[in-house]
């Protein structure tokens, strides 16, 4: 490479560095916002389910309560479970000690 080419590349890099830093920081901010939005998306469903199951201490009680909600057509609770089944399986799995959230989803469908 000639001296002019090296000089040009060096100046181009030095001029581009602040812009690259701005792009990098912007991507980090957008990524953290995306995670916050994803957490907030299921917040209401989690609260409805948690409140409804607050006194259910065993897996059998959890399943029985959800079956009661389904039989009695408790729309808010069943819809919250369906929302969780569609996109928040980590939470649904955490409702049972054996992490078998699929069983809960089958009841609520």
């Amino acid at each position: 490479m000639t001296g002019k080419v090296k000089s040009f590349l060096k100046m181009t890099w030095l001029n581009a560095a602040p812009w690259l830093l701005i792009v990098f920081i912007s991507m980090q901010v957008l990524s953290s916002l995306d995670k916050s939005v994803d957490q907030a998306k299921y917040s209401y469903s989690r609260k409805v389910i948690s409140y409804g199951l607050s006194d259910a201490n065993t897996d059998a009680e959890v399943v029985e309560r959800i079956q009661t909600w389904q039989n009695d057509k408790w729309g808010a609770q069943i819809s919250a479970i369906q929302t969780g089944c569609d996109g928040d399986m980590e939470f649904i799995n955490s409702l049972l000690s054996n992490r078998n959230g699929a069983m809960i989803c089958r009841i609520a469908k």
Side-chain angles (χ1 to χ4, degrees):
M1 276 198 228
T2 66
K4 287 183 180 183
V5 171
K6 286 182 183 178
S7 177
F8 173 75
L9 290 175
K10 185 176 181 181
M11 289 304 294
T12 302
W13 173 250
L14 290 175
N15 289 334
W19 293 107
L20 292 174
L21 183 60
I22 290 170
V23 168
F24 177 75
I25 290 171
S26 298
M27 289 173 57
Q28 293 298 319
V29 168
L30 290 175
S31 175
S32 66
L33 286 175
D34 189 39
K35 290 176 187 171
S36 297
V37 168
D38 198 40
Q39 289 174 348
K41 186 174 17 178
Y42 300 108
S43 177
Y44 178 74
S45 295
R46 285 178 174 213
K47 287 180 182 179
V48 168
I49 295 167
S50 295
Y51 181 77
L53 296 176
S54 61
D55 61 339
N57 297 317
T58 65
D59 287 355
E61 289 174 347
V62 169
V63 171
E64 182 182 344
R65 177 77 44 86
I66 294 169
Q67 188 64 57
T68 300
W69 292 345
Q70 179 69 318
N71 293 342
D72 294 345
K73 300 187 182 340
W74 286 34
Q77 290 78 3
I78 294 301
S79 293
I81 291 173
Q82 290 170 345
T83 299
C85 291
D86 291 341
D88 194 15
M89 279 304 292
E90 182 178 330
F91 175 72
I92 299 298
N93 285 331
S94 74
L95 298 174
L96 298 175
S97 61
N98 64 2
R99 302 203 43 86
N100 187 8
M103 180 174 60
I104 291 173
C105 294
R106 279 193 299 274
I107 293 170
K109 293 289 178 184

